[in-house]
Every structure is written in C-alpha cells, then in structure tokens.
Amino acid sequence: MDSRPWRTVHYIAIPLQPTQGSRRAPAATLQQKPYTNKRIERKLVGPTEKLSSEELMESGVYQRFNRAVEKIFDNTEDLDVNAEIEEDGVVPQEYLIPKYELMDLCSEAAKLKSLGAMAIVPPERVVRLLNILEKNIRDGAKVTPIMDEDDEDDDRLWMELVMERILRGMDASLTAMYIMTALNMSKRIYLEDVIERCVQFTKFQLSNTIYPSFDPVYRVDSKRDGFVGNMKRKRAQCKDVRNRTILGLYNKLHEVVGLLADLLSIQTLTDTTVLQLSTLGVCPFFVENVSELQLSALRLVTKVGSLRPLVVYS
C-alpha cells in the first residue's frame, strides 16, 4: 500500500486577453422607423355604363357597318337572294361582293360585335345579308390554290384568280360567324344553310390548302400516283410557310374554328352539322406545325363532347 500523502491540486482559470485581430465589433443598433397611422386606400373603378340603343346607332362603328351593308344591298337590289343554286352550279357574278368591300364589311362586323351592338341591326337586314354571304362562301368552297411546281405561267395566273375566290369566301364565312356569335341575336338569323356552308368551306380549305401547305405528309405527288413516302423524312425536310396569303388564310380559318365552338354554346345545331364539326375538330391533331389551329380545335372538340357525348368521331 502506498504510504505517500495525497496532494490536492487547485486549477485557476485565467481569462485570455483577446488579441487585436479577434476583437468583435460592437453590435449595430437597429433604427426603428417611427410608426405612422397611415391608411392605404384602394380606389375601385365602377362598371362602365352601357350605351343605349340610340347612342350605339349614332356611333361611328355602327354607321360604317350600316353603310357597307347598304352598298351591298344596292348592288343586289334586283336579285332574289333566296334563289337556290345547284350544288355544283356556278354562282352568278351579280351575287359576288367585291374584294375590298367584303374586307371592310368583315372588319366592321368584328368591331360591332365587340361593341355589343350587333343586336340592334334589324333581323330582316341581317337575314338578307347572310343569304348574300352564303353565295360568296359557296363560290370559294371547292377550289384550292395548291398546284405543282412545274405548272406553266398561265396556270399560275389562274391560281391567283382561285385565291381571290377563296379569300372572298373566307371573309364571307368570318363575317357570318361574327354576326351569329354576337350577343342577344334574334333566333331568325341562325340559318342552317349558312352554318353548313361555313363548316363545309372550313373543312375543305383546311384539308386541301392548309394541311398540304404546313405538313408535307398531306401533299400528294402527282408523279408517283399519290405516293406519300416516308413521313419522318418528309417532315424533317419541311420548310416554314412564308406565303403571306396562305398564312393569312390560316389565321382566319383557325379563328372560324373557334367561333364555331362559340356557336355551339348559342344555338342548337343539326346532327349532321355536329358530326361534321366533330370531324373538323379531330383532324388538326394529326397535322404538324398548326399549333394555333389545334388550340381552336380543342375548344371545338370539348364543346361537341359536352353537348353530344355519344358522337362517334369519324
């Protein structure tokens, strides 16, 4: 056993003096902003007052639209606008509206619709105008400007005339859709013949003009008797459409498709027309480079499906 005495060792803690580099800077004091009893008010703008019928009739938009319609009526005063024309018959020249007059009418119809003043136009005038527009739609419903690159100059001149007929029918269709999709319109103006003609025109021009122009798969090679070829290779070699006329036609056609979707919310259409609209709405999803048209077609297909869930898309 260890006999050495135990020693008690005491430890003293000596505080270290901070060096010059390790000294901490004094904490910065936060300045408190003085409290102010300030109220923030949001000014709410009240709804704009609707114009009366008299004020709308005195507006410049209505006056210009009325003058354009009156000019068309003067040129067709002696014609029977309800006269039936054979399906494959030629539309008489007297029924056709000049190009620039129809462009002005289409523009003013769009403005009048956005103003909410289309309903103040007398229904009998609207019905007469729609019957005239139907003849102009029919004139350009079965022609297409697509042609072979080896065509001669005479054929190209003929194609320019064809394009003029198509644009006339396009503006007539767009004008008719502006009128029939306006607010608070009379039930008398929803003419089945005009609606069916607009649908037929849109389907034909999409299938025979727009799809071949934007997607090479839909172009038929006349030298190979309709041979289509490799789809991926043809689409990879496809160039962007630069023809301004074709681009303008495309923009107006996809607008008409959207207006047809709006028309389904307003008017009950026949089963035949609904079936045509279902086909019209489905086809764009199999075509490349037509994204704007596909958005309008999606609206149309959704509306057709909500109204007629049992429709078979063919």
Side-chain angles (χ1 to χ4, degrees):
M1 183 175 180
D2 191 1
S3 59
R4 289 179 298 180
W6 292 94
R7 294 181 181 180
T8 303
V9 180
H10 298 278
Y11 295 94
I12 301 174
I14 301 175
L16 298 176
Q17 296 294 331
T19 60
Q20 185 175 1
S22 63
R23 292 180 180 177
R24 295 182 179 179
T29 58
L30 297 177
Q31 296 181 357
Q32 296 182 354
K33 295 182 179 181
Y35 176 77
T36 57
N37 189 13
K38 187 176 181 180
R39 298 176 60 186
I40 300 176
E41 297 181 356
R42 179 181 297 177
K43 295 183 179 180
L44 299 177
V45 180
T48 57
E49 297 181 358
K50 293 184 178 180
L51 299 177
S52 62
S53 299
E54 292 76 11
E55 292 174 336
L56 290 174
M57 294 179 68
E58 294 176 357
S59 63
V61 176
Y62 180 84
Q63 295 293 335
R64 289 191 297 269
F65 178 81
N66 196 38
R67 284 196 298 267
V69 173
E70 195 64 36
K71 190 173 183 179
I72 294 173
F73 286 174
D74 291 341
N75 296 333
T76 58
E77 184 177 2
D78 299 331
L79 300 177
D80 183 10
V81 296
N82 296 318
E84 295 184 1
I85 302 175
E86 296 182 1
E87 189 64 26
D88 297 331
V90 179
V91 178
Q93 189 69 25
E94 295 80 11
Y95 288 99
L96 301 181
I97 305 173
K99 175 182 177 181
Y100 294 103
E101 291 183 13
L102 190 53
M103 291 175 60
D104 292 339
L105 178 67
C106 183
S107 176
E108 297 304 328
K111 296 176 184 177
L112 196 64
K113 175 189 173 182
S114 63
L115 189 62
M118 187 67 73
I120 65 177
V121 182
E124 57 274 8
R125 291 175 63 86
V126 176
V127 171
R128 179 177 176 83
L129 177 62
L130 289 174
N131 283 319
I132 298 174
L133 292 175
E134 189 270 337
K135 305 293 190 300
N136 287 263
I137 298 171
R138 176 180 297 192
D139 183 63
K142 297 295 181 67
V143 291
T144 176
I146 301 299
M147 61 181 181
D148 296 333
E149 296 180 355
D150 297 334
D151 286 348
E152 298 178 356
D153 294 338
D154 293 341
D155 293 334
R156 294 183 182 276
L157 293 175
W158 182 80
M159 283 299 175
E160 291 180 2
L161 298 176
V162 168
M163 199 64 210
E164 183 177 349
R165 294 172 59 185
I166 293 174
L167 293 179
R168 182 189 294 115
M170 184 72 260
D171 288 336
S173 298
L174 200 54
T175 304
M177 285 293 103
Y178 285 147
I179 294 174
M180 288 187 285
T181 55
L183 296 176
N184 303 322
M185 297 300 292
S186 172
K187 292 294 182 181
R188 294 169 53 189
I189 64 104
Y190 298 107
L191 305 179
E192 292 183 6
D193 292 341
V194 179
I195 297 174
E196 291 179 0
R197 192 66 62 185
C198 289
V199 175
Q200 293 172 4
F201 175 88
T202 304
K203 285 185 62 178
F204 184 88
Q205 293 304 327
L206 286 176
S207 300
N208 296 276
T209 303
I210 298 302
Y211 297 162
S213 298
F214 284 80
D215 194 339
V217 173
Y218 289 83
R219 300 173 191 168
V220 178
D221 191 352
S222 59
K223 298 180 181 180
R224 298 190 179 185
D225 297 330
F227 177 73
V228 176
N230 187 280
M231 295 175 58
K232 292 184 178 180
R233 184 174 60 186
K234 295 188 73 172
R235 283 174 171 168
Q237 298 174 354
C238 178
K239 298 180 180 180
D240 295 337
V241 179
R242 297 182 179 180
N243 190 320
R244 293 183 179 180
T245 305
I246 298 296
L247 290 174
L249 179 64
Y250 167 75
N251 291 328
K252 291 181 179 180
L253 280 172
H254 83 70
E255 185 176 1
V256 167
V257 173
L259 291 173
L260 287 171
D262 296 337
L263 184 62
L264 282 172
S265 303
I266 301 173
Q267 178 67 11
T268 302
L269 305 181
T270 61
D271 293 341
T272 303
T273 304
V274 172
L275 285 173
Q276 291 182 352
L277 288 176
S278 65
T279 306
L280 175 63
V282 170
C283 290
F285 295 102
F286 300 95
V287 185
E288 295 289 334
N289 307 318
V290 289
S291 56
E292 297 87 358
L293 176 61
Q294 290 172 350
L295 290 176
S296 299
L298 181 61
R299 289 179 51 205
L300 180 60
V301 170
T302 303
K303 196 61 185 177
V304 171
S306 64
L307 296 178
R308 304 291 177 95
L310 298 180
V311 168
V312 178
Y313 299 110
S314 58

